[in-house]
Amino acid sequence: MRSFALSRRLFLSSVAVAALTAPAFAAGSGGDPIRKLVILSAAQASDPQEFQAAQLLAQAWRQLGLDIEVRGMPRPQLADLVWYSRDKWDMTMWRMVGRPERSDPDEFAYNLFNPETAANGYDFIGYMNPDYMKIAEAQRAELDLEKRKALIYEAQDTISKDQPYIFLVYPKNVLAYDKNVWKKETVVEQSGIGIRCFWTLLRAEPISAQKDMICNAAEAMLAINPLYISGAIDSWVTEIVWDRLMRMGPDGLPIPWAAEKVVQVDPSTIDCVLRPGQKWHDGKPLTVDDVVFSFKAPAMADKSPMYKPFVANIADVASTDERTVRFKLKTPSAAFASSTLAKINLIPKHVWEPILTDLMTKKENAETVQEPTPIGSGPFKVSRFKLQEEIVLEANADYWERPRMDRWIMRIITNTSAAMGMLSKGEINFLTDYRGDPKLLLDLAKQSSNIEVVATIDMGFRFLAPNERRAPFSDAAFRRALSIATNRQLMAAAAWSGFAVPANSIISPALKFWSKPGIDDIKVDMEAAKKVLKDAGYVLADGKLHYPEGVKETLAAN
C-alpha cells in the first residue's frame, strides 16, 4: 500500500492545482443538486487494484462537485446485484476479460452495446445508440478485411465520443508458475490472454512426480454451466470441460478443433466435419444431433440469454451426414468462426433437452441450472466441486489429445497475499489469478529461482460502468466529463503499479490489427471536464454540482 499512498499524495497535489486554475461555473442555482453517487467495487482484500482504482476515481470526481462513495463488496454479491437488479445501482467497477474467442473484435463491438441484450445480457448498462448499432452490424457482415477494419475504427470513435463506459486500463496479466514442476517450453503464452490459457492446460508437461496443476482463483465461482458464464473464473472451467467446434489458437486465429474440418461452402453456408470417436464424459457418443442441439439451445424461448446473440445470425443448422453439420446464415458473417463456432459450448442433448423442456413452463432460464456432475466432452472431467472452495478436474483419457497433467485443481483463495505465499511454499504450483502489486511477485521470483513470472497485455479491459438507466449517467455530456477528469496514467501507475496501459477503447492494443492508433491517447484535464459540464447546463453552486435548470433529482441517495 506504500506505493498507493505516494501516488495518492501526488494525485491530490495535482487536483489542488487544477482546483485553483479551473474557472467556476456560471452563476445560477440550476436544477436539483445531484444526489450522492455510489461506486460499487470488489472488496479491497480480494481485488486491491480495482478498489484502489475506484478510490482514485472518487477523489478525482469530487473535484467536479460530486459526492462520491466507494462501496466494497464480495464479488458474488456484487455480480448478483449488478446483473440481476439493473436499475438499482449507479456505477460499478467492472471488467471484460480476455477470452480466446474475443481475439476477433465482434463480441466487444456488437454484443456489449446491443440494446436487445439490455434486459438480461451484455448491455447491462442500458446503452442505446441506433447509429452505433448500424456500424456494429455492418462490421460483422463485411468480409473484406480492410473494409471491416475501417468499420471497427469507426465503432471505436463512436464509443470514445459517447463514453458508455469510463475506460480505465488494459491490465497486464501477471502470472507465475513453478518451473521445477512444469516444463518451461510447454507453458504457452496466448496472444492477449497470457499463460493461463487452454493451450497451457492441455499441453503443460510435468517434469517431476507432481502431475497435478494446483492453482488459485481470487473469487468464488458462481456456477459451472455451459449456457452461463458469469465471469472470468467460471470461463476458465467451462472452456476445458465443454468442447467447441473451433478454438482460438495461441496466435489468436481460429482453428478447427472438435470439428476436424471447417469448409466455407459459400458466403452464407459453412460445413463442419466432426472428428470421429468423440464421447461425452458419461461415455455416450457425441453425435451430429448433439451439435445441432447445442446451437439451437441458446435460442430456445430465450432460455439462454447470454449465448443467444451468438446464434442469432443462424438461419438453420442441420446434419447432412453422420459427421457433418451445415450452418446456413441469415447474412454473411466475418466473425462466425471466432464469435460462434469458437464460442458456443457443445452440450449433450440427452442431458440438456429434458432440462430445457422443463424450463419452458417456468420463469427461470438455463443460467439457474447447476448439474450435480457437469457433463461435457472437453479435455477435463469434473471430479468434484464446491463453488466457494475448490474444483477438481481429471484429465479425460478418452479425449483425442489427452492433457499431459493428471488433474487440474483450482482453490478459491480470496486473499492475494495468501495466494502468493502458497506459491512460495509449493502449496500451489501455478498462480493463475494475481491481483496484487506485480513488483512483489517479481521480488519473489528473484528470491526463489524456481518461480517464473510472465506478464502479458490483456485483450480485455478494466472500466467503470455507469448505469445509463439512471440520471445523470443517461447524459453523454456528463459521462464525457467524468472521462476527461479521469487520470488513466496515474491509475495505471498507482493501482496497477505500472503493469497496465491507459485505455479508451473496446479494442486492446494486444489486438494490433484492430486497435485504432491514438484512440487511447486521452489525457486528464479537470478544467476541460468542468467546461463540458458547464456547456451542458450543469451548475456548480457552493461546491456542489447541480443538474441543469429545471431538472429534478428523481432518485434518493443510495
Side-chain angles (χ1 to χ4, degrees):
M1 295 297 291
R2 188 177 304 169
S3 62
F4 173 64
L6 175 60
S7 299
R8 183 177 185 273
R9 289 197 297 272
L10 293 171
F11 175 81
L12 290 176
S13 176
S14 68
V15 297
V17 172
L20 289 173
T21 60
F25 281 40
S29 61
D32 283 352
I34 295 174
R35 69 189 182 280
K36 179 175 70 175
L37 303 176
V38 175
I39 300 175
L40 302 178
S41 168
Q44 184 173 15
S46 65
D47 197 335
Q49 295 168 328
E50 178 173 294
F51 189 81
Q52 290 178 18
Q55 295 285 359
L56 287 173
L57 290 173
Q59 291 167 10
W61 296 345
R62 288 174 188 136
Q63 304 305 307
L64 300 176
L66 293 168
D67 183 5
I68 305 285
E69 175 191 344
V70 175
R71 189 174 297 168
M73 300 175 65
R75 180 72 68 180
Q77 289 91 320
L78 172 63
D80 187 69
L81 172 60
V82 170
W83 206 253
Y84 294 112
S85 300
R86 297 194 170 193
D87 60 345
K88 294 191 167 35
W89 49 273
D90 287 327
M91 302 176 278
T92 184
M93 303 297 287
W94 210 252
R95 62 181 185 234
M96 292 300 296
V97 299
R99 293 177 184 159
E101 65 276 9
R102 290 173 174 169
S103 298
D104 185 279
D106 182 68
E107 183 174 340
F108 288 154
Y110 182 77
N111 291 297
L112 293 187
F113 307 115
N114 186 343
E116 292 183 2
T117 69
N120 51 22
Y122 280 102
D123 186 16
F124 68 102
I125 58 172
Y127 174 69
M128 297 187 184
N129 182 340
D131 292 333
Y132 175 81
M133 283 309 299
K134 290 177 183 177
I135 302 168
E137 289 166 354
Q139 65 80 26
R140 60 178 4 207
E142 180 54 70
L143 300 182
D144 182 284
L145 195 59
E146 289 298 326
K147 290 180 179 177
R148 186 175 178 224
K149 179 167 76 170
L151 288 165
I152 291 295
Y153 279 13
E154 187 177 355
Q156 292 175 78
D157 284 337
T158 302
I159 293 301
S160 181
K161 177 182 177 183
D162 283 0
Q163 291 290 323
Y165 296 161
I166 309 301
F167 296 93
L168 303 177
V169 298
Y170 308 108
K172 290 183 180 179
N173 289 326
V174 185
L175 306 173
Y177 65 95
D178 189 334
K179 58 187 176 185
N180 287 347
V181 177
W182 303 106
K183 193 173 183 180
K184 184 175 179 179
E185 52 266 37
T186 66
V187 174
V188 180
E189 183 178 6
Q190 184 165 357
S191 175
I193 293 178
I195 59 174
R196 184 196 56 235
C197 66
F198 176 84
W199 306 105
T200 289
L201 301 188
L202 185 70
R203 293 172 178 167
E205 184 177 327
I207 55 178
S208 67
Q210 172 59 276
K211 300 186 184 303
D212 294 341
M213 181 174 284
I214 306 173
C215 61
N216 72 300
E219 60 195 59
M221 293 177 290
L222 297 184
I224 305 174
N225 178 327
L227 294 176
Y228 173 55
I229 299 178
S230 60
I233 311 303
D234 298 3
S235 73
W236 306 346
V237 177
T238 56
E239 73 171 334
I240 57 176
V241 171
W242 287 275
D243 222 346
R244 298 170 186 177
L245 290 176
M246 300 186 79
R247 295 272 182 183
M248 303 304 288
D251 60 358
L253 299 176
I255 57 176
W257 197 248
E260 67 177 6
K261 184 167 62 173
V262 177
V263 180
Q264 187 90 36
V265 179
D266 62 48
S268 299
T269 307
I270 298 95
D271 282 350
C272 294
V273 182
L274 301 185
R275 293 185 185 276
Q278 297 179 85
K279 296 179 181 179
W280 298 107
H281 294 157
D282 60 7
K284 295 184 179 180
L286 187 156
T287 69
V288 288
D289 288 342
D290 290 311
V291 175
V292 170
F293 176 78
S294 299
F295 285 86
K296 287 185 174 181
M300 292 174 65
D302 296 330
K303 290 301 179 183
S304 181
M306 184 169 285
Y307 278 102
K308 185 179 178 181
F310 302 103
V311 299
N313 193 36
I314 298 175
D316 185 49
V317 54
S319 59
T320 58
D321 61 41
E322 64 181 11
R323 287 181 55 203
T324 305
V325 175
R326 171 163 288 184
F327 294 88
K328 296 290 292 184
L329 306 185
K330 297 174 184 176
T331 60
S333 172
F336 185 71
S338 55
S339 65
T340 301
L341 297 181
K343 175 75 174 180
I344 298 297
N345 295 311
L346 300 183
I347 59 176
K349 184 177 181 180
H350 64 275
V351 172
W352 280 94
E353 187 173 48
I355 294 173
L356 289 172
T357 299
D358 179 62
L359 286 172
M360 291 299 181
T361 61
K362 300 177 180 179
K363 65 178 182 179
E364 294 84 7
N365 62 40
E367 296 177 357
T368 65
V369 174
Q370 179 60 70
E371 299 171 79
T373 302
I375 301 297
S377 62
F380 288 88
K381 299 180 179 181
V382 177
S383 175
R384 65 179 186 271
F385 68 93
K386 290 185 179 180
L387 296 176
Q388 304 292 321
E389 298 177 14
E390 179 183 74
I391 180 169
V392 178
L393 306 182
E394 297 177 358
N396 179 5
D398 292 328
Y399 198 64
W400 60 277
E401 185 180 341
R402 187 193 188 283
R404 299 177 186 181
M405 68 185 71
D406 287 347
R407 297 188 301 172
W408 184 74
I409 301 170
M410 183 176 72
R411 292 175 177 156
I412 310 303
I413 307 165
T414 57
N415 187 285
T416 297
S417 297
M420 191 169 68
M422 292 175 71
L423 177 68
S424 65
K425 296 175 183 176
E427 295 172 1
I428 61 176
N429 54 50
F430 210 115
L431 191 70
T432 48
D433 197 358
Y434 182 69
R435 305 181 187 183
D437 186 343
K439 294 177 182 177
L440 297 178
L441 195 55
L442 292 173
D443 289 342
L444 176 64
K446 291 177 182 177
Q447 299 165 10
S448 306
S449 60
N450 61 309
I451 302 299
E452 182 78 11
V453 177
V454 181
T456 308
I457 294 180
D458 201 333
M459 69 174 67
F461 48 87
R462 304 297 288 259
F463 62 102
L464 177 129
N467 193 340
E468 290 161 42
R469 299 172 182 82
R470 296 160 67 102
F473 306 108
S474 52
D475 182 1
F478 183 83
R479 300 194 303 268
R480 280 195 296 273
L482 295 186
S483 180
I484 295 169
T486 298
N487 192 332
R488 294 161 172 84
Q489 291 74 24
L490 175 63
M491 192 163 295
W496 276 271
S497 300
F499 285 80
V501 294
N504 185 45
S505 174
I506 52 176
I507 309 298
S508 164
L511 305 178
K512 294 181 181 179
F513 182 80
W514 301 107
S515 177
K516 183 175 182 180
I519 195 73
D520 298 312
D521 296 338
I522 182 170
K523 307 299 183 187
V524 61
D525 190 333
M526 194 66 67
E527 183 175 346
K530 291 186 176 185
K531 185 176 187 304
V532 168
L533 291 171
K534 176 184 174 182
D535 291 348
Y538 292 85
V539 173
L540 185 63
D542 297 326
K544 179 73 175 177
L545 191 65
H546 292 240
Y547 287 104
E549 189 72 37
V551 177
K552 299 294 184 182
E553 177 62 83
T554 59
L555 296 167
N558 290 280

